[in-house]
Amino acid sequence: MSLIEVKNLTKEFPLGFLGRIKLKAVDNVSFELDESKLISVIGESGSGKTTIGKLILRLLKPTGGQIIFNGKDIKSFKPKDYYRNVQGIFQDPYSSFNPVYKIDRIFELVFDEFMPQLHRNQRQKEIEEILISVGMNPSQILGKYPHQLSGGQLQRILIARTLLLKPKVLIADEIISMLDASTRVDILGFLGELKQKGMSVIFITHDLSFGYYISDETIILYKGSIMEMGDTIKVFHNPMHPYTRMLLESVPSIEKKWDLEKFFVPEIVHKEISGCKFYERCSEATDECKRQVPQLVEIEENHRVACIKSDVSVRTEWKNFESSRKSDSVG
Amino acid sequence: MTRKEFIYFILRNKKFVFSFCVLTFLAVLATFGPMLTPYDPLEFASFPYQPPNRDHWLGTNTFGQDLFTQLVYGLRSSLLVGLLGGGLATFIGLSIGFAAGYKGGWLDEFLMMLSNILMVLPTLALLIIIAAYLPYRGVAIQSVIIGFTAWPWTARAVRAQTMTLKTREFVDLARITGCNNLKIIWQEIMPNMMSYVFMVFILQFGGAILAATGLDFIGLGPTRGISLGIMMQQATLWSAIQLGMWWWAITPGAVITLIVASLYIMNTGLDEIFNPRLREL
């Protein structure tokens, strides 16, 4: 049984006068998260990835569908029982700390809410141990205000806070996008460690390379719908959806030179489309795409694509890669 | 801003120091002033029409009442109205602003509709009607009436601030730590707007004193006792200016002006203290 199961999740935001216009931020999304797995949710801004994170953290109420944790709907849990098991870290480390309090408060809150009986000395000891475990010097951190520390340090403190609770699931929402390149890998390393300790992580990002670097499974989101999902290696080495391919081609590489022709990005018009959501930007779209809503279809084991043209046979380069990978693992 | 810096900037701000001294002096006068005078504010003390002299520091009025005694007791009730009325208006404004801004949705719509209605209603007319219906009016009742009509602007401003603060990630983090809404508002959101809350209270304080004076002046003040507004009203009624009794006509108005002006100066001073961009270097 999977740890978290997201079933037909939909979230609409009301817009306009008395909410007459609805914006579908998340549209019929389903996926599962197994124990000690790292799954990355990748999408551009406005694709609904943060909304999914907030829905799982119960910071927003879904319009439709449900989220199941440990076999029970998350609505049925008491807040504290749920948050003991499911935790989150957010994008902006500077805004995650209340500027009027010292750093220590972030730990004190956790103790007050989840372990109120713990004695003061014991608390202090645990805080220090945990800060050391994320590679920080407690005497340099404690008693300081958030603005006196760097983004990387703050993000590490948030990881330390999560370690204090030892949840089963961690929602990491763009946790590295505000950091410099040198601290990023560092933070990602901690995520990897958490996974090895048996924690499941939902890693929300817009950065394909970091997603590839760290995750077991990948979900590609576009305008609130899943375009392609499955095993990370399969999604990245055998991308079947035109959007995934476009994203992969847009990753800067040392071996490639800038080629403007490849990117076809028309002005995005927010209107209700009856067919495929990617129709307007797709270079391979036909008239049928305009009419038919593509369903997620399993094209190989643990690899699903929502494109009506995805039944095209698996590409030969992928077959070669796959067979070489198998022979590697056999050898 | 640490406490040390805060005290440094407060002591360096002339506006704040000046107005604080004036207000402290007036508060001390209101508290201990009655001990300085042997008379009762409404009793016949001496000959009427006396200009200020050694026995009667601010003279006497047409009825032979001692005006210094009246001023001291009046100051007491005026400051009390400011404290109670202003405090109540701030409290209601904060509660409604926090609730509307934090909860949002239909509660927000409802509370803002309520505040809009109260804002559109002419407050003075409403105060007159309410005050006229009450057989007995004291300082407390007056404060309650003022408090219940003065909150809408505060509520609107607090709501707007709350709405921006609640989208900050530390609020989400407190929520996933399992804190309840009251704790989040009280410990996460409010400390971030403490300076604003303090300034709102000062403005409400001055506003309440002015509103009370207005009510007193048109004859809807406390039925018993004395206040600065009632002194002004009587001075006008008994033609103090025409009779050349400047000590009766001018003093209460001057004191009210002094209170409200120092409150407003204090407000600008605090603005400079809290907002580094306005600080003079």
Side-chain angles (χ1 to χ4, degrees):
Chain A
M1 191 180 65
S2 46
L3 201 55
I4 278 202
E5 204 181 335
V6 175
K7 274 190 189 165
N8 304 78
L9 192 65
T10 301
K11 175 71 188 175
E12 286 176 347
F13 288 109
L15 289 179
F17 180 67
L18 289 175
R20 234 180 257 166
I21 312 159
K22 298 261 192 273
L23 177 82
K24 256 191 188 172
V26 177
D27 190 3
N28 206 2
V29 165
S30 309
F31 64 90
E32 285 172 22
L33 174 66
D34 290 328
E35 239 165 271
S36 71
K37 276 273 156 92
L38 207 151
I39 189 165
S40 59
V41 177
I42 301 177
E44 58 190 23
S45 13
S47 59
K49 53 193 193 304
T50 298
T51 311
I52 291 180
K54 287 197 167 175
L55 285 165
I56 297 175
L57 283 171
R58 299 214 313 192
L59 293 170
L60 292 172
K61 285 199 183 88
T63 318
Q66 50 180 180
I67 303 164
I68 290 162
F69 172 72
N70 258 348
K72 277 202 287 180
D73 193 312
I74 59 167
K75 276 184 284 185
S76 63
F77 285 92
K78 280 186 191 149
K80 274 185 198 166
D81 296 339
Y82 187 64
Y83 290 132
R84 193 177 258 288
N85 293 310
V86 181
Q87 272 297 320
I89 301 178
F90 304 111
Q91 177 173 15
D92 184 354
Y94 298 99
S95 140
S96 297
F97 287 83
N98 199 335
V100 296
Y101 295 115
K102 287 178 183 162
I103 296 293
D104 314 34
R105 186 182 141 88
I106 208 127
F107 300 111
E108 287 299 327
L109 263 187
V110 170
F111 282 122
D112 285 347
E113 295 294 333
F114 294 101
M115 315 155 217
Q117 72 289 345
L118 214 61
H119 192 263
R120 207 161 165 205
N121 299 342
Q122 191 70 30
R123 286 183 182 193
Q124 193 63 27
K125 217 179 108 197
E126 270 200 40
I127 292 173
E128 280 173 13
E129 270 172 19
I130 265 171
L131 281 175
I132 291 167
S133 78
V134 294
M136 300 185 97
N137 185 351
S139 59
Q140 277 178 9
I141 299 298
L142 296 174
K144 285 219 168 118
Y145 283 94
H147 67 265
Q148 294 170 306
L149 298 173
S150 73
Q153 283 175 313
L154 293 176
Q155 211 63 303
R156 275 206 227 182
I157 292 170
L158 288 174
I159 288 177
R161 172 189 168 276
T162 322
L163 284 172
L164 207 57
L165 273 167
K166 298 177 195 78
K168 292 202 175 78
V169 180
L170 174 69
I171 317 283
D173 185 358
E174 298 253 25
I175 60 167
I176 51 168
S177 61
M178 304 270 288
L179 308 179
D180 344 321
S182 52
T183 15
R184 283 183 177 177
V185 178
D186 200 36
I187 299 289
L188 279 186
F190 282 118
L191 280 192
E193 270 177 40
L194 293 184
K195 193 189 94 178
Q196 273 165 7
K197 282 180 187 159
M199 206 182 282
S200 299
V201 183
I202 296 182
F203 181 63
I204 298 171
T205 184
H206 58 252
D207 196 315
L208 287 160
S209 36
F210 283 118
Y212 177 67
Y213 178 71
I214 198 169
S215 60
D216 302 312
E217 283 183 37
T218 299
I219 293 173
I220 307 277
L221 273 183
Y222 181 73
K223 284 192 182 173
S225 294
I226 296 180
M227 295 286 122
E228 184 158 2
M229 64 187 281
D231 187 280
T232 299
I233 304 241
K234 286 176 181 164
V235 171
F236 277 78
H237 288 273
N238 185 28
M240 296 304 291
H241 199 282
Y243 181 55
T244 319
R245 262 179 254 157
M246 196 188 96
L247 282 178
L248 285 170
E249 272 163 22
S250 72
V251 175
S253 155
I254 305 174
E255 287 130 43
K256 271 190 299 185
K257 196 70 184 132
W258 171 248
D259 180 6
L260 191 67
E261 292 294 303
K262 268 189 182 166
F263 303 105
F264 172 59
V265 186
E267 203 177 335
I268 297 170
V269 192
H270 283 283
K271 59 180 179 194
E272 209 52 54
I273 316 155
S274 52
C276 178
K277 287 187 175 176
F278 191 58
Y279 173 76
E280 287 169 312
R281 288 172 71 179
C282 188
S283 52
E284 299 163 33
T286 57
D287 275 354
E288 208 185 336
C289 298
K290 211 169 168 182
R291 275 175 261 120
Q292 202 181 328
V293 181
Q295 302 294 321
L296 272 174
V297 184
E298 186 145 33
I299 51 155
E300 57 183 317
E301 199 200 332
N302 201 8
H303 186 183
R304 279 181 277 175
V305 179
C307 179
I308 52 170
K309 300 164 115 193
S310 64
D311 46 341
V312 201
S313 56
V314 178
R315 291 185 304 167
T316 43
E317 339 160 20
W318 165 246
K319 275 184 186 160
N320 296 339
F321 180 80
E322 184 76 328
S323 54
S324 70
R325 200 159 71 108
K326 269 180 190 146
S327 60
D328 275 358
S329 60
V330 169
Chain B
M1 194 154 55
T2 61
R3 190 161 297 149
K4 220 171 156 187
E5 275 173 3
F6 184 68
I7 291 168
Y8 171 75
F9 281 119
I10 268 196
L11 291 179
R12 233 181 51 153
N13 191 291
K14 285 179 200 128
K15 286 178 190 157
F16 183 87
V17 172
F18 166 75
S19 51
F20 186 77
C21 290
V22 171
L23 287 173
T24 315
F25 171 72
L26 289 174
V28 168
L29 194 66
T31 325
F32 301 107
M35 290 173 194
L36 296 176
T37 154
Y39 313 108
D40 190 78
L42 298 178
E43 94 183 303
F44 177 85
S46 178
F47 296 111
Y49 303 113
Q50 286 184 52
N53 56 50
R54 195 182 290 169
D55 292 333
H56 304 283
W57 296 344
L58 291 174
T60 57
N61 64 10
T62 320
F63 316 107
Q65 292 161 336
D66 180 50
L67 283 175
F68 178 74
T69 316
Q70 286 206 339
L71 187 85
V72 166
Y73 279 93
L75 199 59
R76 198 179 246 196
S77 67
S78 283
L79 289 179
L80 206 62
V81 166
L83 208 64
L84 291 178
L88 190 67
T90 312
F91 176 75
I92 297 174
L94 282 179
S95 316
I96 288 184
F98 281 138
Y102 187 76
K103 271 282 165 195
W106 66 267
L107 185 73
D108 182 28
E109 303 265 343
F110 172 74
L111 291 174
M112 282 306 109
M113 187 183 76
L114 208 70
S115 77
N116 283 343
I117 290 173
L118 211 60
M119 254 189 255
V120 173
L121 283 180
T123 318
L124 190 67
L126 189 72
L127 286 176
I128 293 172
I129 294 169
I130 298 171
Y133 265 100
L134 295 169
Y136 165 75
R137 295 186 301 271
V139 170
I141 296 271
Q142 206 177 29
S143 312
V144 170
I145 296 173
I146 291 168
F148 271 100
T149 47
W151 57 264
W153 286 109
T154 307
R156 287 218 142 234
V158 169
R159 165 182 175 265
Q161 289 245 346
T162 311
M163 282 171 99
T164 63
L165 281 171
K166 83 164 178 184
T167 59
R168 302 275 290 274
E169 283 165 356
F170 59 79
V171 172
D172 280 343
L173 205 71
R175 280 175 73 186
I176 65 170
T177 316
C179 300
N180 60 33
N181 291 341
L182 216 60
K183 189 172 175 184
I184 291 175
I185 290 175
W186 188 251
Q187 294 191 0
E188 303 287 332
I189 292 178
M190 201 164 85
N192 275 291
M193 47 196 281
M194 231 25 233
S195 58
Y196 183 75
V197 169
F198 192 53
M199 280 159 61
V200 156
F201 172 68
I202 287 174
L203 289 183
Q204 289 282 13
F205 190 100
I209 290 176
L210 279 184
T213 311
L215 277 181
D216 295 350
F217 192 73
I218 55 173
L220 293 165
T223 37
R224 266 166 275 167
I226 190 80
S227 77
L228 294 175
I230 289 178
M231 282 175 77
M232 279 170 78
Q233 184 211 8
Q234 286 178 350
T236 320
L237 276 181
W238 299 97
S239 327
I241 298 170
Q242 287 85 340
L243 293 171
M245 296 164 74
W246 55 266
W247 58 91
W248 191 15
I250 291 173
T251 344
V255 173
I256 288 169
T257 314
L258 190 65
I259 300 176
V260 177
S262 349
L263 283 170
Y264 284 12
I265 291 171
M266 187 185 239
N267 195 47
T268 17
L270 280 174
D271 208 10
E272 284 168 15
I273 292 165
F274 290 129
N275 188 347
R277 267 181 241 165
L278 295 176
R279 255 180 235 154
E280 40 186 298
L281 291 166

